[in-house]
């Protein structure tokens, strides 16, 4: 019995691939999307940090410009207290005694002591 032989010109190629589009995201698309989201996040973070630095600078300069006003208020309060102490001393003792060796004004220092220790 004769053996079967392939046809002249050969057999057709076996189709093992499917002609369907890839399902889901490709890895490159996913990486590009994640990169864009992260870039936007970093952009907003840098803008926020710059804004916070600007607010801190503005706060510092506003405090610097307020120092003379606060110092003047403190000086006025000290003068008022000093004159009230002088008037109280004159009322109690009849005259003002010099407690310092010169005419130079010395800023008073206040020390808060607990009430049970100062008796």
């Amino acid at each position: 019995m004769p053996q079967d032989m392939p046809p002249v010109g050969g057999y057709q190629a076996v189709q093992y691939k499917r002609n369907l589009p890839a399902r889901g995201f490709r890895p490159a698309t996913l990486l590009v999307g994640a990169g864009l989201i992260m870039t936007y996040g970093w952009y907003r973070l840098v803008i926020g940090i710059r804004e916070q630095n600007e607010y801190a600078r503005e706060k510092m300069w506003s405090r610097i410009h307020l120092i003379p006003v606060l110092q003047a208020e403190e000086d006025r309060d000290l003068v008022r207290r000093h004159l009230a102490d002088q008037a109280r001393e004159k009322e109690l003792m009849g005259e003002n005694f010099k407690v310092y060796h010169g005419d130079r004004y010395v800023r008073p220092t206040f020390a808060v002591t607990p009430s049970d220790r100062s008796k």
Side-chain angles (χ1 to χ4, degrees):
M1 191 154 118
Q3 186 177 358
D4 285 343
M5 298 297 287
V8 180
Y11 292 108
Q12 291 181 355
V14 177
Q15 182 181 2
Y16 63 93
K17 292 183 181 177
R18 298 176 67 187
N19 293 326
L20 295 175
R23 292 177 22 159
F25 287 114
R26 294 186 191 119
T29 307
L30 188 62
L31 287 175
V32 167
L36 289 174
I37 289 172
M38 288 177 58
T39 303
Y40 178 72
W42 279 104
Y43 171 73
R44 295 295 299 173
L45 178 71
V46 168
I47 287 178
I49 289 173
R50 286 181 182 170
E51 189 173 345
Q52 283 182 344
N53 288 343
E54 182 64 24
Y55 284 151
R57 187 191 66 77
E58 184 178 340
K59 184 178 182 180
M60 181 177 61
W61 277 105
S62 65
R63 287 182 179 182
I64 287 171
H65 288 299
L66 280 177
I67 286 174
V69 174
L70 296 174
Q71 185 66 45
E73 282 294 317
E74 185 180 0
D75 291 346
R76 288 180 65 229
D77 185 50
L78 285 175
V79 167
R80 182 189 57 79
R81 285 177 186 236
H82 180 69
L83 293 178
D85 285 344
Q86 295 260 335
R88 195 177 312 114
E89 181 181 334
K90 190 167 192 171
E91 179 184 324
L92 290 173
M93 303 180 91
E95 63 177 291
N96 289 335
F97 294 102
K98 290 187 107 181
V99 293
Y100 301 112
H101 298 294
D103 293 335
R104 193 175 75 114
Y105 176 75
V106 179
R107 183 180 196 152
T109 56
F110 299 102
V112 178
T113 58
S115 58
D116 59 342
R117 298 276 179 135
S118 60
K119 289 182 182 180

